[in-house]
Amino acid sequence: MCGIVGYVGPRKVVPVIVEGLRRLEYRGYDSAGIAVGSPESALLEVCRAPGKLQNLEAVLKDHPLDGTYGIGHTRWATHGRPTEENAHPHRDCTGRIVVVHNGIVENYLELKRELTALGHKFVTETDTEIIAHLIEQIQKDSEDAGAPLKLEGAVQRAVKLLTGAFALGVLSAAEPDKIVAARSGPPVVVGVGEGESFIASDVPGILHYTRNMVFLADGDMAILTRQGVTFTDFDGNPVKRELTRIHWDPIQAEKGGYKHFMLKEIWEQPRAIRDTTLGRISLDSGKVFLGEMDLGDEELARAASINIAACGTSWHAALAGKYMIERLARLPVDVDYASEYRYRNPIPDPAALGLLITQSGETADTLAAQREMKAMGSKTIAICNVVGAMVAREAHGVIYTHAGPEIGVASTKAFSSQLTALFLLALKLGQLRGHLDKAQSVALMEELIKVPAKIEEILRSASDQCEKLAVNFSNARDFLYLGRGVHFPIALEGALKLKEISYIHAEGYPAGEMKHGPNALIDETLPVVVLVTRDETDPASKLRYEKTLSNIQEVTARSGRVIAIATEGDSTIGSLVEQTIFIPPAPELLAPILEVVPLQLLAYYIAVRRGADVDQPRNLAKSVTVE
Ligand code: M6R
């Protein structure tokens, strides 16, 4: 949601910023802009355009900008339409101060009234514009009082007057070759180079130029110059922040020959799952090692229950995790939408462990749920993909999913890696609580190790099939996805993938619920995707399979068009349904990691056929950093 890239140093500023913004496009945006300054210029030059970055580039071609420092922004509209005027950067009355902002200033109307009364003129509908005027006013007041404040001093005072969430980048023509950044909520990462400094909303925006990064914490400010970066709190007190060396290969954040990031990321899943498992299990001892934990095994074993909070796809992983943990560790698990958690007045239980699942680690609702859990006395663990993200810093333990950068807005490899991490956590808890012995643990680990190769097999066998199915089904108006037990969250995930990238209405349902209402929807136009895999060795799985077969018959009896996801070797299913996608056999709790792959492919090929913007679906942002 909104992307910020800033640069001060000897390189050509505009290409550095525009290229950085391009690498942040996945965050979602609907207008873009840039401001550039140089020591020779009394003003900051601003260029903005509605729509995609190429529109900004076209304007820049006609009106080239040059300078030694600058800041750029891609805006995801909240206050005011996505027009040129509302695009960032925003200026003060003099045009000598500019601001870019990610987040929401909740008290902007009140501040705008006060500043208007002091003579400030506003030219946009945005909340952000008030920040530039506020800084201008603070500097003016400090000059009038005979104690002029530098830019960072004025920003310190300004941020204390703001309520809401913000990541800010501020420039002043009066103090060239300097960028002031501040964070309260949305992420800011600072890149530290030789004779140059960078800021961005996310690592890929500047990874081509430096691997040495500092993640600002809430309440941090950074003052960037060519000479280096200093970090302070909002009172101007110096703070020490650790440099993180980013090992991601910048190429990982590129399409690498694939038509879309989403397709590349679907194909990266075997690697992502291997990396998430790597070094965390021992087939010799049967033990699970979950690295970055401040929680000892005894404390984990003592947990009376687990509360999981997450959003979107990560919430679906959480639901599947509930089945895994309850089955393997016999520990009760509650799953909440993070956006609902705080508002349902949860009952405090310090013995309950909080678990936050988030790809970005920056989702505002998930962070708010984490704070609520901690305030109620719970320890929290995060399952997160972005190293150093806020959720990880605030947690007592973190299990990183080593999926690598996920650029497509539709989450794919992060989801399968989250399922993998949850399976590892369930194994660990099962062992600690005495429900899994060494032989059982090793058997499950051996199955987990086979998952990446099975996904490779699915990618090879099901890709063409899904592309062909897309020809028949891309005109459908609605889709239903059905599953039972641990497969129900995968039905939800399949439906979410389809709706977010193809804009076809889709719903996931527990198969057994059909007769309580949704059966009324079924007719010959409705595709129904049913997860009907089975694990021959597991009586519970066999029972679930048989019940799902009955549900399929209820659908076909009403002329619904069933696409089944079934296990290789199933000779019954073919005669009951219109289409079957076979996947390799797997234990009940691991099958979801396989099942989701054809659902991702189906959604992808349908969206491509419909000509949709697969990587950046309309109205969506990759990291949702506002509540
Ligand atoms: O970064 P997070 O995992 O916290 O993000 C949560 C959701 O916003 C995210 O999963 C969203 O639903 C995806 N677009 C789904 O593909």
Side-chain angles (χ1 to χ4, degrees), residues 311-314 357-361 363 366 409-411 418 496-497 500 622 624:
C311 301
T313 285
S314 298
I357 305 178
T358 161
Q359 185 284 130
S360 61
T363 302
T366 308
V409 163
S411 189
Q418 287 167 345
L496 178 63
K497 283 293 87 82
E500 70 181 323
K622 181 67 181 164
V624 183

Side-chain angles (χ1 to χ4, degrees), residues 70 81 110 153 159 171 214 296 370 390 401 427 437 477 508 520 534 562 568 597:
R81 289 154 300 130
E110 185 190 322
V159 292
L171 310 183
V214 177
Q370 182 180 34
M390 197 64 181
T401 47
L427 273 181
D437 62 22
R477 208 190 52 187
R534 69 176 174 196
V562 173
E568 281 164 8
V597 178

Side-chain angles (χ1 to χ4, degrees), residues 376-555:
M376 292 190 309
S378 283
K379 295 272 170 72
T380 65
I381 295 181
I383 293 180
C384 172
N385 193 41
V386 176
V387 175
M390 197 64 181
V391 79
R393 287 202 301 273
E394 294 204 357
H396 302 90
V398 51
I399 307 171
Y400 282 114
T401 47
H402 297 298
E406 190 178 67
I407 308 292
V409 163
S411 189
T412 52
K413 62 177 179 173
F415 179 68
S416 46
S417 305
Q418 287 167 345
L419 294 179
T420 306
L422 283 159
F423 188 77
L424 292 171
L425 179 63
L427 273 181
K428 173 98 184 167
L429 290 167
Q431 292 170 353
L432 291 174
R433 292 168 55 82
H435 292 286
L436 288 176
D437 62 22
K438 182 178 166 186
Q440 290 166 315
S441 300
V442 170
L444 287 167
M445 286 173 186
E446 281 170 344
E447 290 294 342
L448 176 62
I449 291 170
K450 291 182 200 158
V451 165
K454 290 181 185 178
I455 295 184
E456 275 154 9
E457 192 182 323
I458 296 169
L459 289 168
R460 279 194 301 271
S461 64
S463 286
D464 286 352
Q465 191 183 359
C466 289
E467 195 168 1
K468 284 190 194 121
L469 286 178
V471 178
N472 292 335
F473 290 99
S474 60
N475 288 326
R477 208 190 52 187
D478 309 281
F479 261 74
L480 265 183
Y481 287 74
L482 305 181
R484 283 174 171 263
V486 70
H487 313 274
F488 162 55
I490 307 307
L492 291 174
E493 176 60 7
L496 178 63
K497 283 293 87 82
L498 186 73
K499 71 182 120 186
E500 70 181 323
I501 61 169
S502 74
Y503 318 143
I504 295 176
H505 166 248
E507 280 188 65
Y509 249 93
E513 272 294 297
M514 288 297 290
K515 50 179 101 52
H516 301 289
N519 269 351
L521 297 172
I522 299 172
D523 64 17
E524 65 289 350
T525 67
L526 184 74
V528 184
V529 179
V530 187
L531 298 161
V532 60
T533 53
R534 69 176 174 196
D535 172 5
E536 289 290 355
T537 64
D538 180 340
S541 171
K542 280 169 77 177
L543 183 62
R544 193 254 317 146
Y545 168 80
E546 274 150 28
K547 298 271 178 212
T548 312
L549 280 190
S550 306
N551 300 134
I552 287 178
Q553 272 152 340
E554 288 158 18
V555 174

Side-chain angles (χ1 to χ4, degrees), residues 5 340 442 470:
V5 177
E340 291 290 322
V442 170

Side-chain angles (χ1 to χ4, degrees), residues 229-306:
V229 187
T230 51
F231 300 95
T232 70
D233 61 19
F234 287 174
D235 289 320
N237 302 310
V239 292
K240 230 173 137 17
R241 290 284 165 248
E242 270 180 34
L243 205 67
T244 304
R245 179 99 184 136
I246 303 294
H247 295 288
W248 285 357
D249 184 344
I251 301 298
Q252 278 188 304
E254 289 175 8
K255 283 191 201 149
Y258 287 87
K259 190 169 173 197
H260 295 100
F261 278 112
M262 181 180 176
L263 187 61
K264 173 174 177 263
E265 288 159 5
I266 290 172
W267 278 80
E268 281 176 346
Q269 291 181 104
R271 199 265 316 135
I273 292 164
R274 277 191 193 103
D275 287 355
T276 302
T277 313
L278 198 73
R280 287 183 166 148
I281 54 174
S282 161
L283 292 178
D284 290 336
S285 65
K287 293 241 156 63
V288 178
F289 308 99
L290 295 179
E292 297 95 345
M293 288 279 175
D294 286 342
L295 294 176
D297 283 358
E298 278 163 27
E299 205 165 352
L300 276 181
R302 270 203 311 272
S305 61
I306 295 192

Side-chain angles (χ1 to χ4, degrees), residues 43-203:
L43 285 179
L44 294 160
E45 292 194 81
V46 173
C47 179
R48 302 177 301 202
K52 292 289 177 187
L53 265 181
Q54 64 208 45
N55 299 352
L56 176 67
E57 286 177 291
V59 183
L60 283 168
K61 209 167 163 208
D62 291 340
H63 306 281
L65 301 184
D66 199 9
T68 54
Y69 65 112
I71 195 128
H73 187 266
T74 44
R75 171 174 186 252
W76 191 83
T78 57
H79 295 65
R81 289 154 300 130
T83 58
E84 193 264 326
E85 297 75 41
N86 289 336
H88 301 210
H90 291 297
R91 286 172 277 218
D92 70 334
C93 295
T94 67
R96 287 169 62 76
I97 296 171
V98 305
V99 174
V100 297
H101 167 219
N102 178 7
I104 291 177
V105 180
E106 283 164 1
N107 59 339
Y108 85 103
L109 284 175
E110 185 190 322
L111 291 168
K112 195 169 180 175
R113 262 195 304 274
E114 289 170 18
L115 290 161
T116 306
L118 290 170
H120 289 263
K121 299 267 179 297
F122 291 88
V123 293
T124 79
E125 301 165 292
T126 67
D127 51 344
T128 303
E129 192 186 7
I130 65 108
I131 304 173
H133 290 270
L134 194 56
I135 295 167
E136 178 194 3
Q137 185 63 40
I138 290 168
Q139 284 200 309
K140 183 176 176 304
D141 291 346
S142 68
E143 271 163 33
D144 292 349
L149 283 171
K150 284 184 159 174
L151 182 61
E152 53 271 34
V155 175
Q156 278 157 23
R157 287 209 188 153
V159 292
K160 290 200 189 128
L161 298 172
L162 305 178
T163 60
F166 51 83
L168 295 181
V170 187
L171 310 183
S172 166
E175 295 173 57
D177 290 339
K178 182 195 275 186
I179 303 173
V180 175
R183 174 183 184 172
S184 178
V188 180
V189 57
V190 172
V192 184
E194 287 283 318
E196 57 184 358
S197 308
F198 306 80
I199 61 162
S201 302
D202 199 0
V203 169

